[in-house]
Amino acid sequence: MTRPVLVPILGDQLSRSLSSLEDLSPASTVVLMMEVWDEATYVKHHKQKIVLIFSAMRHFADELRAEGWQVDYIALDDPENTGSFTGEVARAVERHAPSEIRVTESGEWRVHEAMLEWEGRLPCPVRILPDTRFIATHVEFRAFAEDRKHLTMEYFYRDMRRKTGVLMDGDKPLTGIWNLDAENRQPPKEGLRAPPTPKFAPDAITRAVIALVGKRFADHFGDLEPFGWPVTRKQALEAADAFFARRLELFGPYQDAMVHREDDLYHSMLSTSINIGLLLPLELCERAEAAFKSGRAPLNSVEGFIRQIIGWREYVRGFYWHQMPGLAEANELGAHRPLPEFFWTGETDMRCLSDCIRTTREDAHAHHIQRLMVLGNFCLIAGIDPRQVADWYLVVYADAFEWVELPNVAGMILYADGGRLATKPYAASGNYINKMSNYCKGCRYKVSQKTGPDACPFNPLYWHFMDANRQRLESNHRIGRIYATWDRMGEAKQREYLESAEKFLDSLEPASKGWARNA
Ligand code: FAD
Ligand code: DLZ
Ligand code: SF4
């Protein structure tokens, strides 16, 4: 009897076009899928994230079986389960005596390091294949990054447009313009409401996983139910259809808007499906392009959506692999304040933060501008320790995998990488939040007040941050000019700002241990 090829498929690799399955036939292959304790607890993921991954894995295994593949599926409560990928691959090698292990590279450094050791530990060859669901290869990103001090996403994005041909006319951008961001960024108009995002009622498989997670991960952050994320490709395609039909049109203009309790707005809500492999990034870009070409959506929205995916998403992935492992330790601004407890409980009078944390807890999701300009901006200007911030983001979002979370946290929001990813820190006072949201109207703090106990805390914190980091930021041409305004204020006003900020920071209760990682 010929020995089979063993193909481990991880929880974020649920695509039929996976490189490890290419050229293999069901008759000569054993697919291995593993629910393992280590992955579910290396940080204490939001309960809905675990439900999403386990349920999508179980559905994907059933789909493969229906196509004739042999799937060896290890459930979490299998009594023999060793709890780790390496342990389960070793057990599967004993069971199946494969001629070879073929695996698509992992998204995360931590797992990649473990995979590299398989070859030495196991009695068969291990082939690690590139993840061809991404558009840029590691080699292409390295070539782009070489000799550049700042990497500038925009130039990388143009390379990706050229490579894919999306929104291109030969080697020129369609209509002559690469980036239409200037037409977007509109504040929300009064009463802004978007068509709802489809939510999917749990079937028997998902209900069983919900029961398992409720029992085994009760101390993890977040609401377990209602759970409505797509867990199959069919459902993910339905969610994409709804986005293209009803929300893409206004995606661009309201991309940066925030409305109290209007959680999804015009965002696609597709990141979980893309990141675990139910949808492919390029197929979504091609559908967006088709919507423009057939007159169903304007270019500013279509280009904005495509830029998020073949621009930002690809760029942060390239950046992660280029900058690891150092990125996980980066703390260029020397920020050491502990994450406040209210990030876990949502109990704060700051209405913007409490709404963003509420949607995070309820849905394991917050949209980009909430993650960037409310939660992220707060962590930046309050000087919160980057490792604690990164843990929080990795725990709380259903779409969080380190390759995409860490560059956004260390690079985009915290400037912890010293400006390699973003050319300036995204620091802002309450004015920005007031302009782009309806949060401030109902807030106990006054956004127009600059200092004192009733002032919006973002106002003094902004100047406290600028003052504390003057040495590093003054020479930055995109932000350095702000110090002229600071200097013009005079010492008494400056002292008021700094004292207000210090008072607020002193009042923050540090997070208790145990939310993010097991002690
Ligand atoms: P849309 O607004 O509809 O955007 C479309 C798609 O573009 C997204 O689905 C996503 O695939 C991609 N995208 C948009 N912005 C980014 C970005 N900055 N980086 C990478 N991809 C992007 N996204 C994740 O997928 N996982 C994360 O762990 C994650 N952590 C983040 C942490 C911080 C601090 C910030 C500022 C952003 C983070 N993002 C992350 C990016 C972004 O916020 C989410 O992709 C987005 O909110 C998902 O919702 P959506 O699908 O409705 O996105
Ligand atoms: C996030 C996650 C969780 C919670 N559990 C599992 C699991 O039990 N089995 C699995 O194959 N994958 C899981 N994942 C996703 C992995 O963490 C992810 O595939 C790796 O980190 C590589 O990106
Ligand atoms: Fe947030 Fe300040 Fe506005 Fe309150 S006043 S919602 S704290 S920005």
Side-chain angles (χ1 to χ4, degrees):
M1 210 179 84
T2 49
R3 292 160 68 195
V5 175
L6 182 69
V7 178
I9 294 185
L10 310 185
D12 57 355
Q13 299 184 336
L14 311 178
S15 313
R16 278 297 285 105
S17 57
L18 201 66
S19 55
S20 55
L21 287 175
E22 247 171 52
D23 308 326
L24 289 178
S25 73
S28 59
T29 308
V30 174
V31 170
L32 174 67
M33 298 182 71
M34 311 154 268
E35 293 173 7
V36 290
W37 187 253
D38 282 5
E39 287 308 300
T41 57
Y42 73 91
V43 291
K44 293 167 80 176
H45 308 279
H46 193 299
K47 295 184 192 85
Q48 287 186 36
K49 180 176 173 189
I50 306 179
V51 175
L52 168 75
I53 306 266
F54 286 6
S55 173
M57 284 173 67
R58 291 179 183 197
H59 281 95
F60 188 69
D62 282 352
E63 285 162 22
L64 288 177
R65 283 190 193 108
E67 284 180 38
W69 297 85
Q70 185 188 338
V71 182
D72 188 357
Y73 194 97
I74 309 301
L76 188 81
D77 43 17
D78 180 330
E80 307 287 308
N81 192 331
T82 55
S84 74
F85 285 148
T86 300
E88 285 316 293
V89 171
R91 282 203 318 130
V93 166
E94 281 173 18
R95 279 195 300 277
H96 304 290
S99 59
E100 171 191 338
I101 293 172
R102 213 178 279 190
V103 64
T104 294
E105 66 185 326
S106 149
E108 298 192 341
W109 180 271
R110 178 181 56 80
V111 179
H112 183 66
E113 294 279 280
M115 269 185 192
L116 291 177
E117 291 185 2
W118 291 357
E119 178 94 45
R121 286 178 174 221
L122 301 170
C124 63
V126 179
R127 273 175 66 190
I128 301 178
L129 301 168
D131 191 340
T132 49
R133 296 171 301 172
F134 288 99
I135 293 151
T137 64
H138 296 307
V139 172
E140 282 168 339
F141 192 88
R142 265 199 303 277
F144 163 81
E146 232 150 63
D147 302 329
R148 288 177 204 242
K149 184 160 181 271
H150 300 289
L151 298 179
T152 316
M153 194 287 290
E154 181 65 24
Y155 296 118
F156 174 79
Y157 164 56
R158 292 179 189 183
D159 286 350
M160 293 301 103
R161 290 267 295 273
R162 289 189 193 95
K163 180 170 179 180
T164 57
V166 171
L167 290 184
M168 294 297 287
D169 179 8
D171 62 351
K172 302 236 159 34
L174 210 64
T175 76
I177 305 169
W178 287 106
N179 180 324
L180 283 89
D181 221 18
E183 293 179 28
N184 294 330
R185 301 191 194 127
Q186 283 182 29
K189 57 181 186 213
E190 188 72 34
L192 182 69
R193 291 277 174 275
T197 310
K199 310 280 180 215
F200 299 89
D203 63 4
I205 293 179
T206 305
R207 283 200 305 275
V209 174
I210 289 175
L212 173 79
V213 172
K215 205 164 91 193
R216 301 290 300 277
F217 304 98
D219 65 332
H220 284 216
F221 172 80
D223 295 355
L224 179 57
E225 295 183 87
F227 177 91
W229 290 104
V231 291
T232 62
R233 175 159 168 85
K234 188 165 170 281
Q235 290 179 343
L237 284 170
E238 215 179 291
D241 290 347
F243 170 67
F244 288 119
R246 304 173 69 192
R247 297 202 307 285
L248 174 63
E249 192 185 347
L250 288 176
F251 172 86
Y254 293 123
Q255 215 178 336
D256 289 0
M258 295 175 281
V259 177
H260 187 245
R261 286 204 162 260
E262 183 66 16
D263 299 333
D264 309 345
L265 277 176
Y266 287 88
H267 294 273
S268 70
M269 303 298 284
L270 296 177
S271 54
T272 56
S273 299
I274 308 172
N275 290 354
I276 66 175
L278 304 180
L279 296 173
L280 298 176
L282 194 52
E283 72 179 332
L284 294 174
C285 294
E286 286 167 352
R287 286 190 67 179
E289 180 180 32
F292 168 66
K293 288 189 169 163
S294 63
R296 282 175 287 126
L299 190 58
N300 57 320
S301 283
V302 168
E303 187 279 319
F305 178 72
I306 288 171
R307 177 156 28 87
Q308 300 313 313
I309 295 186
I310 66 174
W312 279 110
R313 185 172 186 275
E314 290 289 326
Y315 176 72
V316 301
R317 190 257 185 168
F319 186 85
Y320 174 77
W321 286 100
H322 191 250
Q323 298 288 314
M324 280 299 279
L327 191 61
E329 302 300 317
N331 190 359
E332 178 74 14
L333 300 183
H336 292 296
R337 191 173 304 282
L339 188 77
E341 176 74 358
F342 74 73
F343 267 72
W344 299 109
T345 62
E347 284 166 17
T348 167
D349 288 340
M350 288 178 277
R351 193 164 183 256
C352 52
L353 279 157
S354 87
D355 192 54
C356 294
I357 295 164
R358 175 200 55 76
T359 178
T360 301
R361 191 188 65 240
E362 287 177 357
D363 308 324
H365 190 273
H367 66 69
H368 184 64
I369 213 69
Q370 294 174 317
R371 296 189 206 191
L372 179 68
M373 294 309 295
V374 177
L375 298 155
N377 179 28
F378 182 87
C379 291
L380 171 73
I381 63 181
I384 311 294
D385 186 323
R387 265 163 299 191
Q388 294 193 25
V389 180
D391 272 359
W392 185 82
Y393 277 92
L394 196 55
V395 164
V396 300
Y397 293 118
D399 60 22
F401 295 88
E402 195 186 64
W403 67 265
V404 50
E405 166 272 323
L406 187 59
N408 273 298
V409 168
M412 178 113 61
I413 65 170
L414 296 183
Y415 207 72
D417 64 342
R420 291 281 285 161
L421 183 124
T423 44
K424 64 162 190 164
Y426 283 92
S429 68
N431 271 347
Y432 177 87
I433 296 170
N434 190 33
K435 183 174 144 212
M436 295 311 296
S437 77
N438 66 355
Y439 284 138
C440 302
K441 268 186 209 150
C443 185
R444 162 247 182 279
Y445 294 106
K446 293 187 175 54
V447 72
S448 56
Q449 209 158 307
K450 305 296 181 201
T451 57
D454 294 330
C456 164
F458 282 89
N459 294 336
L461 285 178
Y462 172 81
W463 286 115
H464 186 264
F465 168 80
M466 294 307 295
D467 182 59
N469 292 289
R470 184 167 192 153
Q471 257 194 332
R472 284 188 186 83
L473 300 181
E474 198 164 20
S475 57
N476 182 312
H477 71 284
R478 294 194 62 200
I479 203 169
R481 272 169 304 179
I482 203 75
Y483 288 102
T485 309
W486 179 237
D487 291 339
R488 269 199 306 276
M489 280 182 203
E491 235 176 81
K493 187 77 201 160
Q494 286 178 349
R495 204 173 321 112
E496 250 181 69
Y497 270 115
L498 298 180
E499 281 173 9
S500 270
E502 293 288 348
K503 228 179 206 159
F504 174 80
L505 290 169
D506 287 347
S507 75
L508 294 175
E509 184 195 343
S512 48
K513 281 209 171 91
W515 280 111
R517 291 186 188 258
N518 290 305

